[in-house]
Amino acid sequence: MNSKEKRAELQSILSIIDENCCPNFFLTGRSYSSLEKRAIDLADEIQKRKLVDFSGTKQDFSIVIPYFNEPGAAKSFVDRLAESISIARDCYYQYRGIVIIEFDKEWSKRGINNPLRTVFDYIKSQKELCFILLAINSKESDYISSIYNELCSMDLWLPLEVESASPEECLDYVKATAGHFKLSIPEDVSEALLKMFRQRDETNISNEEAAESLVKQILFKRLVNSNHSPEIDISEISYLNSSSRAHFSRQIGFIPDNR
């Protein structure tokens, strides 16, 4: 699904929601980068359609919730979240906007616990806010469902699955983009690249984003090194695993050290 199709999907979903009557959203997927992009698109579309009566210095912000299983840690996170809301409110009477909360990947391995319910109680109390929660789906377990089910017992939450491009689609993208610059990819290099897409961990950066970064790296290195070969060499695709994840662009909150 390309960016236009993804935007159209969000527009279709939000078109049935009345102004100033926005539900909360629970986004799941295999990659944080894909989840973050969809959350930003969703927040922008909510603002465009005036589904939230905004009040504050920022219409949305994001924060990461680290894994914890102790009541004290849950209280600490709630305090940080409340502080972030206060920063976004600034001199206004109250903050009305969108809060994007990104679950640390450890939650997908462990699921709901009582300290997390304390956080959910606080979220439920913030009736003027729209929350967008982001969580990684685990291939080994379905603990994220326990978190979503707990949320639904408290309030109205709309689930959205964020799909990632398949390894084959990513390979086709690299080939097509390379072809635009009159570059070809030999069969053995294509097979190696497809294997790399299938084996790489998408948790931080999706294959789709890694493919885009790979093409940029290849073109840049060729320009710097004056490489005019019409074929992409197998050594050039090693850039695929060198991509790093940028911090979330809508951040006011914090990112734990282990991320």
Side-chain angles (χ1 to χ4, degrees):
M1 187 182 296
N2 59 39
S3 58
K4 289 185 178 180
E5 291 172 334
K6 292 175 182 177
R7 176 75 67 173
E9 180 188 46
L10 289 179
Q11 291 173 344
S12 176
I13 292 170
L14 297 179
S15 65
I16 62 174
I17 301 173
D18 295 331
E19 282 192 15
N20 301 323
C21 189
C22 192
N24 298 310
F25 297 87
F26 191 78
L27 276 58
T28 56
R30 298 199 304 265
S31 164
Y32 279 118
S33 62
S34 294
L35 286 169
E36 291 168 358
K37 285 183 178 180
R38 185 62 66 88
I40 289 173
D41 287 344
L42 179 57
D44 289 344
E45 196 65 30
I46 289 172
Q47 294 167 21
K48 179 181 176 182
R49 293 177 178 272
K50 299 180 180 179
L51 300 182
V52 173
D53 183 17
F54 291 104
S55 174
T57 58
K58 289 182 69 69
Q59 294 189 332
D60 61 79
F61 70 87
S62 66
I63 188 169
V64 175
I65 178 169
Y67 180 77
F68 48 71
N69 55 14
E70 297 292 336
K75 182 180 182 304
S76 178
F77 174 77
V78 169
D79 289 344
R80 289 191 180 101
L81 177 55
E83 181 183 9
S84 296
I85 291 172
S86 177
I87 292 171
R89 176 179 63 83
D90 196 39
C91 61
Y92 290 79
Y93 173 71
Q94 66 178 169
Y95 178 63
R96 291 194 296 269
I98 300 170
V99 180
I100 303 171
I101 301 180
E102 185 177 287
F103 280 92
D104 182 88
K105 60 185 177 183
E106 195 66 20
W107 289 105
S108 66
K109 302 175 184 177
R110 298 175 182 266
I112 191 75
N113 58 29
N114 284 329
L116 184 59
R117 290 186 174 94
T118 301
V119 176
F120 289 171
D121 286 339
Y122 177 78
I123 289 175
K124 183 181 179 181
S125 71
Q126 302 300 302
K127 298 297 185 181
E128 301 298 325
L129 304 180
C130 169
F131 288 91
I132 302 176
L133 270 54
L134 316 180
I136 291 290
N137 276 334
S138 172
K139 296 179 181 178
E140 293 78 24
S141 63
D142 194 30
Y143 286 122
I144 288 301
S145 293
S146 69
I147 293 177
Y148 174 69
N149 291 337
E150 184 75 19
L151 287 168
C152 288
S153 69
M154 296 181 167
D155 216 331
L156 177 60
W157 288 83
L158 184 62
L160 293 175
E161 176 69 23
V162 179
E163 297 180 357
S164 297
S166 70
E168 291 76 15
E169 289 173 329
C170 292
L171 177 61
D172 289 342
Y173 168 82
V174 174
K175 284 183 174 180
T177 309
H180 178 74
F181 291 93
K182 302 189 184 315
L183 297 173
S184 63
I185 304 179
E187 188 63 28
D188 62 324
V189 179
S190 292
E191 292 176 359
L193 184 55
L194 180 60
K195 183 178 180 180
M196 292 172 70
F197 278 127
R198 287 172 174 168
Q199 293 180 346
R200 72 179 296 276
D201 183 3
E202 286 190 86
T203 302
N204 286 331
I205 300 177
S206 68
N207 275 341
E208 186 175 4
E209 189 172 341
E212 294 171 356
S213 178
L214 173 63
V215 172
K216 292 177 182 178
Q217 285 285 347
I218 290 174
L219 295 175
F220 176 72
K221 291 290 185 180
R222 281 174 162 260
L223 179 63
V224 170
N225 298 326
S226 298
N227 182 352
H228 302 296
S229 171
E231 290 190 347
I232 292 177
D233 184 81
I234 196 163
S235 64
E236 295 179 90
I237 66 174
S238 63
Y239 304 135
L240 179 67
N241 295 320
S242 64
S243 302
S244 60
R245 179 184 174 211
H247 288 336
F248 205 170
S249 62
R250 303 297 180 93
Q251 183 189 352
I252 282 185
F254 69 102
I255 294 179
D257 293 338
N258 63 354
R259 289 282 297 283

